[in-house]
Structures are given as structure tokens and as C-alpha cells.
Amino acid sequence: MTATMVQGFRRYEFTSTITNFLSTLTTEMNTYPYEDTNWKVTYYPKDPYSQPKAYNSLNQTYGTPLGSLTLENLNDASLFFSLCLNYSVSYGWTTYGYQLRCGLNRPTVGEAPYPDVSLTIGEESNIPFHTSSSNVTLNITYKWTVFPLNEAIFIFGEALNNIGNAYPFRLYLGRMTAYEEEDPVVKGSFVGIFSHAPIGSDTNWANNNLYSVGRGVVRNSRNNKKYELYNFCTSAQATSPGSGNRYFVSPWYVFQSKEGVRGEFQQMRSVVFKDANQHPDGTMIDLDGKRYHVFHVNDQQQPTSYKYWIDTAGQTRYIQPYFFDSNTLLGDGQRAILFELPTEVSK
């Protein structure tokens, strides 16, 4: 276990298999003296929604519960997320790989985490850990780095084995910063879940040749549509000039085809350094009056084959795992993520 704490900012690092990921994450963020100051994490090992079921007319149980957790913001009760571990099971009782089902709202009955964004096991809104082929479920070991921010959490996973099948895991859960004043009806609902695996239920959103961008779901759109699909991307592809205090820094823009750019991720920026050795991982950098924590990103290679997963109805869901603008950077350089640190105020 490794935990970095700087002026209210925390960074957790640990290694675990997929099946131990949620329980280990809970332990890491709840262990003294590293309890997180912004988020309460609760683990539910026997959550009924984490129990795989075959998607057929009988909806029969397949296997034991795999566990779930809830993330509750200690400063804002409206920020609540659930992650529910499961795997797809086909009509013929064939398993197709681990995935997360997600929720954006508290359960209305009981305490069990309710994956309200992914009501059916095997939906496209689920987040897969690895590629699928017939009857292969890989309990891959990942190196995890978790950043719990004031109103968001970013989870970064790099596989340590089964590289040919494992997806580089990326997940942002939290509130976004809106660029314009919004209608009070939807102002508090610009909250979403954005992962490395594009989600969507229609051909336009699923077609990665048509839209080579990241995707996610927001609690409510500007038009108050529940669970609206949104795109996100950065524009930092060029390297820093490497002189003075000039850097090419980009927000993580969140946009929707019918609404345009609505805002950006909180407390996160993308940057490409010309010489990353000048800014080692874990150091601080001052830019435009703000201080940032530097997180180096060594992009894991994408799986070599089977770039899809199979839902419980036996349908193939092709994806191109995606979180950054691309894996190729103009002018070489090293990509990094900048996390904004709390600002000290002089009295």
C-alpha cells in the first residue's frame, strides 16, 4: 500500500486482481491514517446485483456474488456512485469476462448498491476489464492508482499480466465544471461516469470509426434527459516547447453532439512534456497561479486481438478502448495528468 498526502490531496497506489479490486480499494481508502477526507467507501461482498445471472427467459443465477461498493461524497450528499462487479453469461451458460456495472444514484430500497445506469447484465454501458473470446474470464492483476478529488474520483489501472487481453483501465466518476450558468433544474446533475470503454446503445455511438472519442453517461443533460450519453476529449497532443513557463495544457472537455461543449472534468488537466525528467512523477508544478500534482502516464499497449466483448444475449460489442486523444504524440514527449492541488490562502 502506498498513499501520498499533500495539503488535502491524496493518491493511493496498490496492486490487486480484478475480483479483489473493489474490496482492496475500500480497505486502502479506509485504513488509518490514510482515511480519505472527501469520500466514504463501503464494500458489500454479498450484494445481490453483483450475482451473475444468465440472460434468458428464466434469468437463472450463475455463480456467487462478486461484490460491490459505494462511493459517497462527505461534503455533497448528491455525489453518490456504485460499482458492481459482474461478468457476462450467455444463453449457453458461457462466461465472457469481468465488467463493472455502475450507478449514479442511491438505492431507493435497502442499502445494496443499485447499478441504475446498467440495469441489465451485459449492457453496453458496462465497463469491461478485458477482451472476450468464448468461455474466457481472466482474473487479471492490475497496478492501480486512485485519485480521490474534492468532487470526483479518477481510477487508473495498468495490467501486470495477460497484456494481450487486458484493457488499460481508466475511470472518472464525479461532477463536471460547467462553462455556463445552468438551469437550476439540471445544475446539480452535471455528474457522470466516463471510462476507457465507449458506451452507447445505438450504432452512431458504438461506431468507433465514426467517433474516435471517449464516451460516458451524465445523470441529466441540459434538456433534463436522464442518463444522457456524452463525449469527452482533450486537445493536448503537442509537446511543451520546453522553455520558460510555457506548456500545452488541455482540459478534459465534456460535450454532446446536440448541445456542444458543456464543461470539463474537475481538477484534471492533460499535458505533454518535452522533457518529462524535468517534472518527475509525484512532483508539483506551478502554472498560471495554480499548483498541480504530476502523474506520469505510460500508456499500456492495447490488446492485440479480440477488441470486443460479448453481452449476455450473445451479441458482439466491438470497442476501441480510448481515454486520451491518441496514443501517438506530436513531437514525441511524455504525456502526464495534472491534478489541481488546494490553493493556500494568505491572511
Side-chain angles (χ1 to χ4, degrees):
M1 169 181 175
T2 302
T4 301
M5 297 181 288
V6 180
Q7 300 173 342
F9 174 85
R10 299 188 177 218
R11 165 178 170 171
Y12 298 89
E13 294 178 283
F14 57 91
T15 300
S16 80
T17 59
I18 294 173
T19 52
N20 291 330
F21 167 54
L22 299 182
S23 60
T24 306
L25 174 62
T26 306
T27 300
E28 296 292 326
M29 293 181 65
N30 288 338
T31 300
Y32 178 84
Y34 305 116
E35 299 101 325
D36 195 71
T37 57
N38 295 311
W39 295 90
K40 175 185 176 183
V41 189
T42 307
Y43 181 61
Y44 298 82
K46 298 182 180 179
D47 175 27
Y49 293 105
S50 70
Q51 186 165 23
K53 295 182 179 180
Y55 187 73
N56 56 28
S57 60
L58 300 178
N59 199 29
Q60 292 174 294
T61 298
Y62 185 94
T64 58
L66 300 177
S68 302
L69 64 71
T70 57
L71 298 160
E72 303 174 73
N73 191 276
L74 298 173
N75 306 307
D76 186 345
S78 69
L79 290 175
F80 180 95
F81 301 96
S82 59
L83 298 177
C84 182
L85 185 61
N86 224 302
Y87 53 73
S88 274
V89 184
S90 74
Y91 290 100
W93 305 95
T94 300
T95 60
Y96 288 113
Y98 292 105
Q99 55 192 261
L100 287 177
R101 302 165 65 197
C102 302
L104 276 164
N105 295 285
R106 297 177 186 273
T108 55
V109 179
E111 295 183 353
Y114 183 59
D116 56 314
V117 175
S118 311
L119 297 180
T120 302
I121 298 173
E123 284 189 351
E124 285 188 344
S125 55
N126 296 351
I127 303 171
F129 288 90
H130 62 79
T131 60
S132 296
S133 59
S134 181
N135 204 26
V136 173
T137 301
L138 303 171
N139 194 16
I140 297 167
T141 298
Y142 278 86
K143 165 67 182 301
W144 300 101
T145 308
V146 181
F147 298 88
L149 310 173
N150 291 339
E151 295 183 300
I153 291 180
F154 179 63
I155 301 173
F156 184 95
E158 295 284 307
L160 299 180
N161 58 5
N162 296 110
I163 304 299
N165 290 86
Y167 291 131
F169 193 95
R170 316 283 187 257
L171 181 61
Y172 177 94
L173 310 102
R175 187 180 303 284
M176 275 72 69
T177 300
Y179 287 147
E180 300 174 353
E181 186 64 28
E182 299 198 319
D183 188 320
V185 174
V186 300
K187 183 177 181 180
S189 293
F190 194 22
V191 175
I193 297 173
F194 297 86
S195 81
H196 59 280
I199 68 170
S201 58
D202 63 65
T203 55
N204 284 339
W205 285 85
N207 187 343
N208 288 282
N209 294 321
L210 184 62
Y211 297 114
S212 184
V213 292
R215 264 150 264 172
V217 63
V218 168
R219 185 186 291 160
N220 286 91
S221 70
R222 279 177 173 156
N223 297 320
N224 206 21
K225 179 182 176 182
K226 193 174 183 180
Y227 305 136
E228 180 64 282
L229 296 168
Y230 276 74
N231 292 321
F232 73 94
C233 70
T234 70
S235 61
Q237 286 298 104
T239 59
S240 160
S243 61
N245 292 319
R246 298 177 298 144
Y247 298 92
F248 292 127
V249 179
S250 173
W252 302 77
Y253 298 104
V254 178
F255 61 98
Q256 212 271 345
S257 56
K258 297 180 181 179
E259 299 178 0
V261 177
R262 185 175 176 183
E264 64 180 75
F265 289 178
Q266 287 221 5
Q267 293 182 260
M268 287 179 61
R269 297 290 188 274
S270 177
V271 64
V272 180
F273 294 123
K274 184 175 183 179
D275 182 2
N277 292 326
Q278 295 180 358
H279 307 286
D281 182 73
T283 58
M284 292 184 292
I285 183 172
D286 292 301
L287 292 171
D288 298 326
K290 295 183 179 180
R291 177 164 291 184
Y292 295 93
H293 176 92
V294 177
F295 175 50
H296 282 194
V297 179
N298 297 309
D299 276 346
Q300 173 190 322
Q301 291 296 313
Q302 300 291 350
T304 55
S305 59
Y306 299 116
K307 291 183 182 178
Y308 60 81
W309 57 281
I310 303 172
D311 67 15
T312 51
Q315 293 182 313
T316 299
R317 304 293 190 182
Y318 286 92
I319 66 172
Q320 179 61 47
Y322 190 94
F323 204 87
F324 299 105
D325 279 355
S326 79
N327 290 326
T328 302
L329 307 176
L330 298 175
D332 298 320
Q334 161 111 30
R335 186 187 298 284
I337 301 178
L338 304 179
F339 291 94
E340 185 178 342
L341 296 170
T343 302
E344 295 181 352
V345 179
S346 300
K347 295 183 179 179

